[in-house]
């Protein structure tokens, strides 16, 4: 692992980033502009109809965000000229060959780009299967094929997820996924076959005159069905796993780095603490509890919930691309906290109680919402029983009453039915993570941390921090993360 200085590595480099409007991409762009303005170029691929639309998205969804306030303060009036000199916004789509770019643009990129970073992804657990496969699987391969044509390329970096492991238990190693391997021993996993299954299903739905809403639901159900057939809990982790398989199978003669972050949370330190965008995954429970809408917590309270702040993920990305293991090597890094600084689901619940007891959410009438210690549902059986008694049984009773009264309560029944079905699907999607029994080994990541500390000096070690042991969960979760979630939710 050859590494002398991360800042020196970044200097005069041309970096192409896909998925440039995503959360990690924004944190990455901000970091590069702030700490190494002598980067040569940042090529940002944004999905849009044309160049004007892509530039508009960059100005409103990236550089115009609060995340860049420290950069704006640092450069003042010079920021616009810095962006004009360093940033080139491209409109393109990773699901297309060569991203759909014109030949002149491609020729320039193939001769200039030193680093390709694939951050384009759909992260919805139950995304439409056709969409998820196209972006997370085929798209990843397309980006690698593009990188292979870059004559000045130093490294290709792909951001995946630690949860490509599915629901495996015990110590989960930083090992490569082999093409065609399933998690449950089921034979027959073939990406070309999956594409054919999607094509045939869509053709059938179109022939049957299905509505767009029906097609979407059928595609979502198909993704979950195919994922579970081979041992993955949801469409997201399944398609990301297949994306990794393709990267390893293509065996292109360039250094490949795969970053597998766990559950990404708000920034720990930089550019300021508590920045996040979007209330999703674990934060949905935070908001639901704070608003008094969650009286129970499904999940094993002793489960280790692997969380990692977004700025630490980006720092690990930058360090890993500056220290490729060698030509044609594929190196995988778990970026999480379960190995060296674990926090249990119970502690997260306690943090929520502490925060909303001292800083209660305000209802629409301005009155504080009182929260208490929620009911624990520590097993899947307990979750099913609770859902049956508190939601499905009342729904069945309302259905009978509605029928007996000639549909007098039809609107109330449909409203409750939608809420119950939504809640059931939410619990179904999150259960694998709430009862997760694995710990992510981070031996490769620990080696990288040591190399940065020993060879890059104390200044860069502090600048590109990604050691989870520095996180004080009590302080971070109560004073930084939950506060950030509440701030964002109020903005919405």
């Amino acid at each position: 692992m050859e590494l002398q200085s991360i800042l020196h590595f970044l200097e005069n480099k041309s970096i192409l980033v896909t998925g440039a409007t995503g959360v990690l991409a924004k944190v990455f762009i901000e970091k590069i502009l702030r700490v190494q303005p002598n980067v040569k170029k940042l090529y940002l691929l944004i999905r849009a109809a044309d160049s004007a639309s892509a530039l508009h998205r960059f100005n409103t969804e990236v550089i115009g965000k609060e995340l860049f306030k420290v950069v704006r303060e640092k450069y003042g009036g010079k920021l616009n000229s810095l962006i004009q000199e360093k940033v080139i916004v491209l409109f393109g789509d990773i699901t297309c060959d060569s991203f759909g770019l014109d030949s002149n643009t491609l020729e320039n990129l193939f001769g200039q780009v030193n680093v390709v970073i694939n951050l384009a992804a759909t992260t919805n657990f139950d995304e439409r299967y056709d969409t998820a496969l196209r972006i997370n699987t085929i798209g990843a391969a397309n980006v690698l094929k593009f990188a292979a044509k870059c004559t000045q390329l130093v490294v290709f970096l792909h951001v995946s997820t630690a949860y490509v492991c599915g629901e495996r238990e015990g110590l989960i190693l930083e090992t490569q996924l082999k093409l065609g391997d399933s998690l449950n021993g089921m034979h027959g996993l073939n990406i070309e076959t999956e594409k054919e299954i999607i094509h045939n299903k869509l053709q059938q739905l179109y022939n049957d005159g299905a509505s767009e809403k029906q097609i979407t639901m059928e595609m979502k159900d198909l993704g979950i069905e195919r994922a579970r057939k081979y041992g993955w809990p949801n469409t997201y982790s399944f398609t990301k796993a297949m994306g990794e398989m393709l990267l390893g199978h293509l065996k292109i003669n360039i250094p490949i780095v795969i970053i597998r972050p766990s559950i990404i949370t708000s920034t720990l330190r930089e550019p300021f603490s508590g920045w996040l965008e979007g209330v999703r995954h674990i934060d949905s429970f935070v908001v639901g509890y704070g608003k008094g809408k969650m009286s129970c917590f499904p999940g094993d309270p002793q489960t280790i919930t692997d969380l990692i702040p977004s700025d630490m993920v980006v720092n690990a990305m930058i360090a890993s691309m500056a220290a490729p293991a060698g030509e044609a090597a594929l190196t995988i890094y778990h970026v999480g906290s379960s190995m060296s600084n674990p926090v249990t689901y119970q502690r997260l619940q306690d943090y929520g109680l502490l925060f909303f007891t001292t800083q209660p959410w305000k209802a629409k009438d301005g009155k504080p919402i009182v929260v208490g210690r929620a009911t624990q549902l520590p097993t899947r059986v307990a979750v099913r029983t609770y859902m049956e008694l508190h939601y499905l049984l009342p729904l069945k009773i309302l259905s009978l009453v509605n029928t007996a009264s000639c549909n007098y309560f039809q609107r109330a029944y449909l409203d409750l039915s939608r809420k119950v079905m939504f809640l059931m699907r939410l619990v179904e999607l999150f259960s694998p993570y709430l009862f997760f029994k694995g710990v992510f080994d981070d031996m490769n990541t620990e080696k990288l941390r040591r190399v940065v500390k020993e060879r890059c000096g104390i200044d860069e070690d502090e600048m590109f921090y990604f050691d989870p042991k520095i996180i004080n969960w009590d302080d971070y979760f109560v004073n930084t993360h939950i506060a950030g979630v509440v701030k964002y939710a109020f903005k919405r």
Side-chain angles (χ1 to χ4, degrees):
M1 193 178 288
E2 297 179 5
L3 178 60
Q4 298 301 323
S5 166
I6 296 174
L7 288 176
H8 179 70
F9 171 84
L10 294 171
E11 188 174 0
N12 206 36
K13 289 291 190 301
S14 292
I15 304 170
L16 184 140
V17 181
T18 70
T21 58
V23 169
L24 284 181
K26 291 173 190 175
V27 177
F28 175 83
I29 295 164
E30 193 280 338
K31 180 85 175 191
I32 297 298
L33 292 175
R34 177 162 46 84
V35 305
Q36 186 45 289
N38 292 323
V39 66
K40 186 176 182 180
K41 294 291 182 185
L42 286 175
Y43 295 100
L44 308 180
L45 189 74
I46 295 176
R47 189 168 56 179
D50 50 41
S51 57
S53 300
L55 187 60
H56 177 72
R57 289 194 68 191
F58 170 72
N59 288 328
T60 56
E61 298 178 36
V62 182
I63 204 69
K65 293 294 185 179
E66 182 188 18
L67 177 70
F68 287 82
K69 71 177 183 179
V70 175
V71 165
R72 286 192 286 268
E73 291 168 0
K74 177 177 180 177
Y75 295 111
K78 298 179 180 179
L79 178 60
N80 286 339
S81 61
L82 176 67
I83 291 173
Q84 288 176 2
E85 178 188 354
K86 303 294 182 181
V87 177
I88 296 179
V89 176
L90 305 169
F91 74 97
D93 189 335
I94 67 164
T95 65
C96 303
D97 289 337
S98 298
F99 310 149
L101 300 174
D102 64 80
S103 57
N104 290 334
T105 301
L106 287 172
E107 184 178 353
N108 176 60
L109 293 174
F110 290 154
Q112 296 292 328
V113 170
N114 307 115
V115 179
V116 173
I117 301 175
N118 183 34
L119 281 163
T122 174
T123 58
N124 294 329
F125 288 168
D126 64 340
E127 180 63 87
R128 284 179 55 142
Y129 190 31
D130 53 340
T131 301
L133 190 79
R134 193 168 62 247
I135 297 173
N136 293 345
T137 305
I138 308 305
N142 287 343
V143 181
L144 178 59
K145 291 173 184 176
F146 171 90
K149 298 176 183 178
C150 297
T151 58
Q152 304 300 314
L153 194 78
V154 177
V155 63
F156 168 75
L157 186 147
H158 172 74
V159 176
S160 183
T161 171
Y163 294 97
V164 292
C165 66
E167 298 179 81
R168 284 180 174 167
E169 300 183 0
L171 188 64
I172 299 162
L173 303 178
E174 297 162 303
T175 51
Q176 183 179 341
L177 296 174
K178 301 297 183 182
L179 188 67
D181 282 356
S182 66
L183 295 182
N184 57 8
M186 177 70 70
H187 297 292
L189 175 56
N190 183 297
I191 294 171
E192 291 302 316
T193 301
E194 297 304 308
K195 291 165 65 176
E196 186 177 340
I197 288 171
I198 290 172
H199 173 78
N200 292 340
K201 184 67 174 180
L202 285 172
Q203 196 64 51
Q204 176 194 330
L205 290 167
Y206 290 138
N207 291 341
D208 292 344
S211 67
E212 279 302 312
K213 185 176 181 180
Q214 288 174 314
I215 292 172
T216 295
M217 288 308 301
E218 289 285 346
M219 282 292 106
K220 287 186 174 186
D221 290 342
L222 179 62
I224 296 291
E225 174 191 322
R226 299 303 296 174
R228 291 180 176 169
K229 177 175 181 177
Y230 294 107
W232 279 270
N234 54 52
T235 309
Y236 169 61
S237 59
F238 182 41
T239 54
K240 290 294 280 185
M242 288 190 288
E244 282 198 25
M245 291 177 189
L246 280 183
L247 297 185
H249 178 71
L250 289 173
K251 296 180 180 177
I252 293 174
N253 192 37
I254 57 175
I256 299 174
V257 170
I258 295 178
I259 297 288
R260 290 179 182 166
S262 55
I263 300 171
I264 300 173
T265 56
S266 60
T267 52
L268 177 70
R269 291 180 180 172
E270 294 184 1
F272 51 88
S273 61
W275 181 84
L276 54 80
E277 191 170 68
V279 175
R280 40 186 200 161
H281 304 331
I282 194 170
D283 299 331
S284 302
F285 290 86
V286 173
V287 173
Y289 176 70
K291 288 185 174 182
K293 295 181 178 180
M294 279 193 68
S295 58
C296 65
F297 275 118
D300 184 350
Q302 298 310 310
T303 287
I304 294 174
T305 307
D306 198 311
L307 309 173
I308 192 72
S310 57
D311 49 337
M312 299 184 81
V313 177
V314 164
N315 287 337
M317 288 168 51
I318 295 172
S320 67
M321 73 188 198
E327 289 189 10
L330 190 154
T331 310
I332 295 172
Y333 297 98
H334 279 150
V335 183
S337 58
S338 58
M339 188 70 180
S340 54
N341 190 9
V343 59
T344 64
Y345 185 40
Q346 177 65 67
R347 285 174 66 188
L348 300 184
Q349 295 175 34
D350 293 342
Y351 297 149
L353 178 62
L354 175 61
F355 182 91
F356 290 112
T357 300
T358 56
Q359 302 177 62
W361 204 294
K362 296 291 175 50
K364 289 182 179 180
D365 59 6
K367 294 181 180 179
I369 296 173
V370 179
V371 299
R373 189 168 291 280
T375 302
Q376 295 277 9
L377 304 176
T379 66
R380 283 182 166 88
V381 172
V383 172
R384 284 194 295 270
T385 302
Y386 186 91
M387 296 295 290
E388 182 75 34
L389 291 175
H390 289 79
Y391 296 103
L392 294 178
L393 184 60
L395 183 64
K396 290 176 183 177
I397 293 173
L398 182 58
S399 176
L400 292 173
V401 172
N402 184 50
T403 301
S405 60
C406 300
N407 294 330
Y408 182 81
F409 297 100
Q410 181 71 1
R411 179 174 293 183
Y413 170 74
L414 291 176
D415 184 53
L416 180 60
S417 178
R418 280 192 296 267
K419 289 180 179 178
V420 169
M421 292 305 105
F422 173 77
L423 184 60
M424 293 290 287
R425 194 169 184 91
L426 193 67
V427 170
E428 180 184 25
L429 290 172
F430 279 99
S431 285
Y433 305 96
L434 301 175
F435 295 97
F436 191 69
K437 300 297 183 184
V439 172
F440 297 109
D441 173 56
D442 63 351
M443 184 177 295
N444 290 341
T445 313
E446 179 59 30
K447 288 179 182 176
L448 181 62
R449 283 192 285 264
R450 291 176 184 173
V451 168
V452 172
K453 188 171 186 178
E454 293 169 3
R455 300 184 188 177
C456 298
I458 189 170
D459 289 343
E460 289 196 6
D461 182 43
E462 293 179 355
M463 182 181 294
F464 298 100
Y465 55 91
F466 57 101
D467 186 347
K469 291 190 288 294
I470 69 173
I471 304 172
N472 179 325
W473 290 115
D474 294 356
D475 175 67
Y476 168 73
F477 219 81
V478 174
N479 299 320
T480 298
H481 184 67
I482 298 181
V485 172
V486 171
K487 178 182 176 181
Y488 179 84
F490 268 122
K491 278 186 178 180
R492 294 189 71 187

